[in-house]
Amino acid sequence: MTQTRKTSFQDVRDAVIRRIQDQEWPQGSLLPTELELAEEFGCARATVNRALRELAERGIIDRKRKSGTRVCVAPVKQAKFEIAVTRHTVEETNAQYRYSLVDRKQLEAPEWLRARLGLGGVQPALHLRSMHYADNQPFQYEDRWIMLDTVPDAETENFEIIAPGEWLVSRVPFSDAEIVFSACAADETLGRFLGTPTGTPLFQVERTTWFQGQPVTYVRLTFQPGYSMSTRY
Amino acid sequence: MTQTRKTSFQDVRDAVIRRIQDQEWPQGSLLPTELELAEEFGCARATVNRALRELAERGIIDRKRKSGTRVCVAPVKQAKFEIAVTRHTVEETNAQYRYSLVDRKQLEAPEWLRARLGLGGVQPALHLRSMHYADNQPFQYEDRWIMLDTVPDAETENFEIIAPGEWLVSRVPFSDAEIVFSACAADETLGRFLGTPTGTPLFQVERTTWFQGQPVTYVRLTFQPGYSMSTRY
DNA sequence: CAGTGGTCTAGACCACGGT
DNA sequence: CCGTGGTCTAGACCACTGG
């Protein structure tokens, strides 16, 4: 059964991709207009538009009114990482997850934290340090500050059972965030909790989060030695 | 002048975001159908559809036929990193870029590389090692393998002027890739080229690239000490 | 089976930005 | 000015999937 289905936006998108790969439309060259493509593919202009819009979002083509659509010369690769709560990251590897609170203190936000959040003045904050284990092996050390002016409920939560990350996502629907990936050396504390010698190179993620313009939390997640994050695109 | 413009998909999108943030539609709850929202906002269903589709792509809502649209319970954050060629990364910081080839050898692809690329048998490859400098300070050490069966032109290119990354993006329109972020310790070679003691923790990116199913290149980019990658979402 | 999202259409008007 | 993409509409049919 060779079905003669209606041309979908995916057909158009894939055909365009193929032509770019085959250098039929080389880098920097101008594509036909939406109307011309719609005629060629026998579909509505809206269908072509959706296909091309998707490719533009992926950084493959560049669209401008009046000038038209061009193939990007130096396509900027976009790598998308999915950041889940630590429990899910661990359980996805079929390992048993365990969480343990190390320390909980209510303090004033230190100078460096206020600077990072763009705040002046005195700010009450909760400082939490905790460990995440996979199959009882150290997986991740978490050092977190929660801003109590933004999330006052945190003051009465002891965080002995539920990890602060999970507690927060259940309270704060979603938020703006800045995320930083880097390498650091294990200091004495990290070495002790992650079971590795001082000086071991470790992968770390820092995340700063705002909700409706208010600072929610800053967290530094340091992973077990050898950990890596990967993705495809 | 309070313009009474037509409701756009962005208006709908932002209104939905606001209602989720305000917990008017709590996590896990069911949203009205597209038709109901279209009536409420006084627009076409297609407009609502586009707004909600965008939120679904961002992982904020979950859509299923027949069951409807729900607010995600544990929104998986998506961090999108833009990966450009090293020259652009350097020049964006207003630093002067310099590239220098360290070593170029034509070899058979070693066992570990063939395994990573999912290849058996003998495969000719080009092994390139090079340095990228920002304002004459070591910025990044690059260790790259190019598969000559896929990119035969590389055999006659000496790579003394143009960096292999830039040369490749001008040849291979775009491609599938796997990218891995991790931390490593400077070995003797890295320490020498990056001007840092052996053992220094370094941030590194590995990327493996295919074009139309054929392996193009594997590269390991190791950054100067203290380097980090960041993004917002 | 029937409700809900997924998509396509044909047409219209708008908005940006070269010429 | 006017060509090109950007978006909206009203309607239609399709496809998945829960009941």
Side-chain angles (χ1 to χ4, degrees):
Chain A
M1 299 270 282
T2 53
Q3 299 223 51
T4 54
R5 302 185 29 65
K6 214 173 276 186
T7 19
S8 73
F9 76 94
Q10 303 173 6
D11 297 333
V12 178
R13 180 195 59 195
D14 294 345
V16 171
I17 288 179
R18 211 170 312 111
R19 291 186 192 181
I20 295 175
Q21 287 188 331
D22 294 347
Q23 317 254 355
E24 185 176 332
W25 293 329
Q27 294 182 41
S29 66
L30 198 60
L31 268 62
T33 65
E34 293 190 345
L35 215 47
E36 289 166 344
L37 287 172
E39 280 170 22
E40 180 192 337
F41 287 104
C43 66
R45 183 167 80 93
T47 306
V48 174
N49 182 275
R50 176 156 177 197
L52 296 186
R53 183 153 35 86
E54 195 175 307
L55 296 181
E57 275 167 15
R58 284 165 59 178
I60 291 166
I61 59 178
D62 191 33
R63 320 196 71 197
K64 271 185 201 152
R65 285 162 163 158
K66 170 73 180 180
S67 3
T69 301
R70 287 181 183 283
V71 181
C72 284
V73 179
V76 174
K77 311 293 187 181
Q78 299 173 344
K80 195 158 75 178
F81 288 86
E82 316 241 309
I83 316 278
V85 293
T86 304
R87 170 193 296 281
H88 291 162
T89 309
V90 169
E91 288 177 346
E92 264 175 19
T93 68
N94 293 319
Q96 196 202 342
Y97 173 76
R98 184 164 67 81
Y99 158 77
S100 165
L101 179 67
V102 172
D103 186 56
R104 179 192 189 283
K105 283 202 186 98
Q106 188 170 334
L107 303 165
E108 282 177 15
E111 174 70 30
W112 62 267
L113 180 60
R114 294 205 311 272
R116 184 178 278 266
L117 297 170
L119 299 171
V122 176
Q123 297 274 338
L126 201 58
H127 185 208
L128 299 166
R129 298 187 298 135
S130 52
M131 275 297 298
H132 304 264
Y133 297 88
D135 284 341
N136 280 322
Q137 297 297 310
F139 176 77
Q140 182 190 81
Y141 176 81
E142 169 174 343
D143 187 313
R144 183 185 292 270
W145 293 80
I146 298 176
M147 303 309 290
L148 290 173
D149 279 357
T150 309
V151 197
D153 287 358
E155 189 171 346
T156 56
E157 170 63 47
N158 65 19
F159 295 107
E160 286 180 0
I161 303 302
I162 187 169
E166 292 191 64
W167 185 86
L168 279 168
V169 297
S170 72
R171 299 280 159 149
V172 184
F174 62 99
S175 46
D176 299 318
E178 185 188 23
I179 192 162
V180 180
F181 290 173
S182 59
C184 71
D187 59 15
E188 193 276 324
T189 304
L190 284 169
R192 181 154 40 90
F193 282 107
L194 293 172
T196 192
T198 299
T200 306
L202 300 170
F203 181 69
Q204 94 184 347
V205 176
E206 292 165 280
R207 196 160 61 224
T208 314
T209 307
W210 291 265
F211 176 64
Q212 294 177 334
Q214 298 302 305
V216 173
T217 189
Y218 162 76
V219 64
R220 181 166 54 86
L221 304 170
T222 311
F223 289 83
Q224 62 184 156
Y227 186 80
S228 66
M229 288 194 82
S230 70
T231 190
R232 289 185 156 271
Y233 62 77
Chain B
M1 298 275 280
T2 53
Q3 301 221 52
T4 54
R5 303 185 30 64
K6 214 174 277 186
T7 21
S8 73
F9 76 94
Q10 303 174 6
D11 296 334
V12 178
R13 180 195 60 194
D14 294 345
V16 171
I17 288 179
R18 210 170 313 112
R19 291 186 192 181
I20 295 175
Q21 287 189 331
D22 294 348
Q23 318 255 354
E24 186 176 331
W25 293 330
Q27 295 182 43
S29 66
L30 197 61
L31 268 62
T33 67
E34 292 190 346
L35 215 48
E36 289 166 343
L37 287 172
E39 281 171 19
E40 181 192 336
F41 286 106
C43 65
R45 183 167 80 95
T47 306
V48 174
N49 181 275
R50 176 156 177 199
L52 295 186
R53 182 155 34 85
E54 195 175 307
L55 296 181
E57 275 167 15
R58 284 165 58 178
I60 291 167
I61 58 178
D62 191 33
R63 321 196 71 196
K64 272 185 202 154
R65 284 160 161 155
K66 171 74 177 179
S67 4
T69 301
R70 286 182 184 283
V71 181
C72 284
V73 179
V76 174
K77 311 293 186 181
Q78 299 172 345
K80 195 159 73 176
F81 287 86
E82 316 240 312
I83 316 279
V85 293
T86 305
R87 170 193 295 282
H88 291 163
T89 309
V90 168
E91 289 177 346
E92 263 175 19
T93 68
N94 294 318
Q96 198 203 342
Y97 173 76
R98 186 164 67 82
Y99 159 77
S100 165
L101 180 66
V102 171
D103 186 57
R104 179 191 189 284
K105 282 200 187 98
Q106 189 170 334
L107 303 166
E108 282 177 14
E111 173 71 30
W112 62 267
L113 181 59
R114 295 206 311 273
R116 183 178 280 266
L117 296 170
L119 300 171
V122 176
Q123 297 274 339
L126 202 58
H127 184 207
L128 299 166
R129 298 186 299 134
S130 52
M131 275 296 298
H132 304 263
Y133 297 87
D135 285 340
N136 280 323
Q137 297 298 309
F139 177 75
Q140 181 190 82
Y141 177 81
E142 170 175 341
D143 186 314
R144 183 186 293 270
W145 294 80
I146 297 177
M147 303 310 290
L148 290 173
D149 279 357
T150 309
V151 197
D153 288 358
E155 188 170 344
T156 57
E157 170 63 46
N158 65 19
F159 295 107
E160 285 180 1
I161 303 302
I162 187 170
E166 291 191 65
W167 185 86
L168 278 169
V169 297
S170 73
R171 300 277 159 149
V172 184
F174 61 100
S175 45
D176 299 318
E178 184 188 24
I179 192 162
V180 180
F181 291 173
S182 60
C184 70
D187 59 15
E188 193 276 323
T189 303
L190 284 169
R192 180 154 41 88
F193 282 107
L194 293 172
T196 191
T198 299
T200 306
L202 300 169
F203 181 69
Q204 93 183 347
V205 176
E206 293 165 280
R207 195 161 61 225
T208 313
T209 308
W210 291 265
F211 176 63
Q212 293 178 335
Q214 299 302 306
V216 173
T217 189
Y218 163 76
V219 64
R220 181 167 52 87
L221 305 170
T222 312
F223 288 85
Q224 62 183 155
Y227 185 80
S228 66
M229 288 193 82
S230 70
T231 191
R232 291 186 154 269
Y233 62 75

